[in-house]
Amino acid sequence: MPKSLLASNLRSKRRRSKSKRQKLNQNQRESPYQETPLTEEEEEEEDDDEGNGFKLKTSAKHGVQPLGNLYFINKGAVNARNTGLGNLQVLTDELVLDILALLDATHLGVLATVTKSLYVFANHEPLWRNLVLEELKGEFLFAGSWKSTYVAAASASHHHPKLKNSGESVLKIRDFYSDYLFQSWLCANLEMKHEWLERDNIARVRGISVEDFIEKFEEPNKPVLLEGCLDGWGAVTKWTREYLTKVSGDVEFAVGPVEMKLENYFKYSDGVTEERPLYLFDPKFAEKVPVLDSEYEVPVYFREDLFSVLGNERPDYRWIIIGPSGSGSSFHIDPNSTSAWNAVITGSKKWVLFPPEVIPPGVHPSPDGAEVACPVSIMEWFMNFYGDTKNWKKRPVECICKAGEVMFVPNGWWHLVINLEESIAITQNYVSRRNLLNVLEFLKKPNAKELVSGTNDRENLHDKFKKAIEEAYPGTIQELEKKAEEKRRAEEQKVTFWDAATDSKSGAFKFSF
């Protein structure tokens, strides 16, 4: 497949992500992406650029090319995007798509027949994904693309007779240039580069005692990868697709904004290639399918779970997680200042973690912490921001967590997770004595109503939790507060470098070796 050039000034100001990405492609002045009209044979090829380590899953849908190709490769060509939009060409691609998102499926289908440009915009997959999820909820069978899925469902129900026999076209439009649409496709089809996976600087331990775990990792609030913790779990040998589908039956699990049966979710995950795959993340799986609750147990290091004093009033705390390659969670801090553990049962996950005092590049938390704006997809973060961390003094902690391993995520740590293959995992958030004071402080913040999650009673959670702890463990809070104060005073009394280096009588510096 011919090489291509991605514009060095590629700009992507996605309103939905609220992310400001001024350094989008500093290193891609000679990028390998130029799309030209493709033959059927070329559409099936994988484009592997060994020089930059990029590997693509498919060719660009509808022949969309980066804007740099118009300026540097196909000089003199006329951008079909502009001619087909007419007076609307002054609008950004994001705004055009926001306007089209107001239309229903019938009008989108009609609009796609007006011009080549509108054909490309009206077939943008996220538009059809939103229509499917809004109208069909989780009651859909994925048909290879979101538009095909919608059309198939509409044909069956006859709600949209005009679409009944329309199917999905895949016309290749010559000379259509758009950074925004091209990057959306690129993020959906780019595979992880080797250099994004090779850094592994996390502590790994096996057979460590609970006391050592507390002293070396939980107390100092440091992440660690624990090996050998899942020995004896029934889930390790049983939790295949077939088994989970069988025991779940018609039970529906939380998948993004909808609920789906496992069988239907697996059909979706098998056929999808998109920038943000739907992720099965269900906090009530044990109540929905009780047998699953009996097939795993909390590792010995995390069994002090103080939120349990609230009984059924505790916030959501455990989830089953299932997702295809490329799915995952963009940068976030775990809810309610809790710590967490994440056990991979099948598959593997890439982790990137930053300590609480270091905000990851490309992430923009609001001053009160209630909102976090970050790139729209995980792959986009790796493309545009991962390289920035190479020269940081405080580099992120990174690793690949494989089946049978457990990641400990200390409270307050930023973390991003991406599945490198289809993965099934269990995760739990918990409160121990090591982070009890942090949690209580978090729950009583003035804006707790916006910050607290996993419960309907956000404003009163602090008082309920504190009262329950005092009743179940009298004197514990006071004891922890006393130790925290003693530690603070000890830190203040430590002789600093400058105190040791300064002669208090003469005011001059003195050094001793």
Side-chain angles (χ1 to χ4, degrees):
M1 184 176 291
K3 298 296 180 181
S4 63
L5 182 66
L6 183 60
S8 61
N9 66 337
L10 185 64
R11 50 200 175 273
S12 185
K13 300 177 182 177
R14 301 184 176 193
R15 274 198 310 144
R16 296 186 190 91
S17 69
K18 304 177 185 176
S19 179
K20 299 178 181 178
R21 301 183 291 273
Q22 290 87 355
K23 294 196 243 180
L24 193 54
N25 274 314
Q26 291 179 340
N27 302 322
Q28 295 182 356
R29 294 186 181 276
E30 293 185 4
S31 173
Y33 305 114
Q34 174 194 356
E35 290 297 330
T36 57
L38 304 172
T39 65
E40 291 184 3
E41 291 78 9
E42 288 174 323
E43 291 177 25
E44 299 299 324
E45 294 179 357
E46 288 187 343
D47 186 20
D48 190 359
D49 174 36
E50 297 179 359
N52 286 303
F54 286 118
K55 188 174 182 181
L56 300 176
K57 301 173 184 176
T58 64
S59 60
K61 193 172 184 180
H62 305 311
V64 175
Q65 302 180 53
L67 196 56
N69 286 14
L70 177 62
Y71 298 143
F72 301 110
I73 301 296
N74 302 326
K75 297 178 181 179
V78 177
N79 193 349
R81 177 228 183 252
N82 296 337
T83 56
L85 286 179
N87 291 337
L88 296 180
Q89 66 182 273
V90 299
L91 303 180
T92 64
D93 293 346
E94 300 96 312
L95 187 53
V96 171
L97 291 171
D98 284 343
I99 294 172
L100 296 191
L102 302 175
L103 303 180
D104 61 20
T106 301
H107 289 103
L108 267 184
V110 171
L111 193 64
T113 67
V114 177
T115 68
K116 294 178 180 179
S117 183
L118 289 173
Y119 166 82
V120 174
F121 279 106
N123 278 286
H124 191 50
E125 274 287 270
L127 294 174
W128 294 92
R129 166 172 157 151
N130 290 341
L131 287 170
V132 170
L133 299 181
E134 289 171 6
E135 296 185 23
L136 305 179
K137 307 301 181 186
E139 301 297 323
F140 66 86
L141 295 177
F142 194 71
S145 73
W146 286 107
K147 183 178 180 182
S148 294
T149 300
Y150 188 94
V151 170
S155 299
S157 63
H158 302 289
H159 289 166
H160 296 278
K162 290 183 179 180
L163 292 176
K164 185 174 181 180
N165 298 312
S166 67
E168 183 188 14
S169 58
V170 286
L171 299 178
K172 293 290 182 180
I173 305 302
R174 187 183 297 270
D175 291 329
F176 187 104
Y177 304 92
S178 164
D179 285 345
Y180 183 84
L181 295 182
F182 181 80
Q183 173 138 326
S184 177
W185 165 83
L186 184 63
C187 289
N189 288 276
L190 194 63
E191 295 186 355
M192 293 289 286
K193 294 174 63 176
H194 174 71
E195 67 183 65
W196 299 342
L197 302 174
E198 62 184 359
R199 189 186 297 171
D200 188 328
N201 57 353
I202 196 169
R204 293 173 176 265
V205 298
R206 173 185 289 268
I208 188 174
S209 68
V210 174
E211 293 74 20
D212 283 347
F213 168 75
I214 292 173
E215 178 184 351
K216 295 179 180 179
F217 301 106
E218 192 179 27
E219 190 71 52
N221 213 42
K222 295 181 179 180
V224 63
L225 192 146
L226 301 160
E227 300 174 347
C229 289
L230 309 192
D231 298 343
W233 278 25
V236 172
T237 57
K238 289 183 177 181
W239 284 19
T240 62
R241 275 184 167 208
E242 295 72 22
Y243 176 78
L244 291 176
T245 301
K246 180 180 178 181
V247 299
S248 299
D250 292 332
V251 172
E252 295 185 338
F253 294 88
V255 177
V258 300
E259 294 206 341
M260 298 179 66
K261 297 177 184 177
L262 265 185
E263 182 180 8
N264 293 344
Y265 177 73
F266 284 133
K267 288 180 180 178
Y268 156 80
S269 64
D270 280 342
V272 71
T273 301
E274 60 182 334
E275 191 174 3
R276 294 172 296 157
L278 292 175
Y279 207 16
L280 190 152
F281 212 91
D282 195 293
K284 304 297 182 185
F285 73 97
E287 292 85 350
K288 294 177 178 179
V289 188
V291 68
L292 299 182
D293 188 27
S294 67
E295 292 173 343
Y296 84 96
E297 61 181 359
V298 177
V300 64
Y301 310 106
F302 314 111
R303 290 181 182 170
E304 183 179 55
D305 183 10
L306 298 181
F307 255 147
S308 63
V309 299
L310 290 175
N312 294 331
E313 292 188 274
R314 71 177 300 169
D316 293 337
Y317 70 104
R318 60 178 176 176
W319 294 262
I320 187 173
I321 312 172
I322 304 176
S325 174
S327 61
S329 301
S330 57
F331 275 109
H332 65 284
I333 295 174
D334 279 340
N336 306 328
S337 197
T338 56
S339 297
W341 58 269
N342 186 300
V344 179
I345 297 170
T346 65
S348 58
K349 299 172 181 285
K350 166 71 178 183
W351 286 77
V352 182
L353 304 96
F354 287 88
E357 70 274 13
V358 180
I359 299 176
V363 176
H364 307 281
S366 60
D368 63 358
E371 294 184 4
V372 176
C374 57
V376 68
S377 70
I378 298 170
M379 191 63 71
E380 185 176 354
W381 185 85
F382 275 100
M383 286 175 58
N384 301 324
F385 298 106
Y386 180 79
D388 293 349
T389 68
K390 289 184 177 181
N391 299 319
W392 282 27
K393 185 176 181 180
K394 289 189 176 181
R395 293 185 180 183
V397 174
E398 300 181 46
C399 69
I400 294 176
C401 189
K402 300 177 181 179
E405 299 176 338
V406 177
M407 171 66 71
F408 167 61
V409 185
N411 75 87
W413 278 66
W414 293 93
H415 52 284
L416 168 153
V417 189
I418 181 171
N419 291 316
L420 303 180
E421 56 190 308
E422 181 178 88
S423 300
I424 300 173
I426 291 287
T427 188
Q428 283 195 196
N429 291 71
Y430 74 101
V431 183
S432 70
R433 284 174 170 80
R434 269 63 64 191
N435 67 328
L436 175 59
L437 296 184
N438 291 327
V439 172
L440 288 172
E441 182 180 358
F442 180 88
L443 296 180
K444 70 176 181 180
K445 286 187 175 183
N447 58 338
K449 188 175 182 180
E450 288 75 37
L451 296 177
V452 175
S453 64
T455 178
N456 293 324
D457 193 7
R458 299 181 178 185
E459 293 179 283
N460 299 314
L461 183 60
H462 171 270
D463 294 342
K464 285 183 178 180
F465 184 40
K466 185 176 182 180
K467 181 180 179 181
I469 287 291
E470 290 172 339
E471 292 176 353
Y473 305 99
T476 295
I477 295 177
Q478 291 76 12
E479 180 183 349
L480 291 173
E481 289 175 339
K482 181 180 178 181
K483 288 182 178 180
E485 178 64 19
E486 291 174 352
K487 183 177 180 180
R488 184 187 66 80
R489 288 181 179 177
E491 290 292 331
E492 290 179 349
Q493 293 174 0
K494 282 184 179 180
V495 178
T496 68
F497 169 81
W498 294 110
D499 290 335
T502 302
D503 186 332
S504 59
K505 294 182 178 179
S506 64
F509 287 109
K510 67 178 181 180
F511 296 92
S512 58
F513 299 92

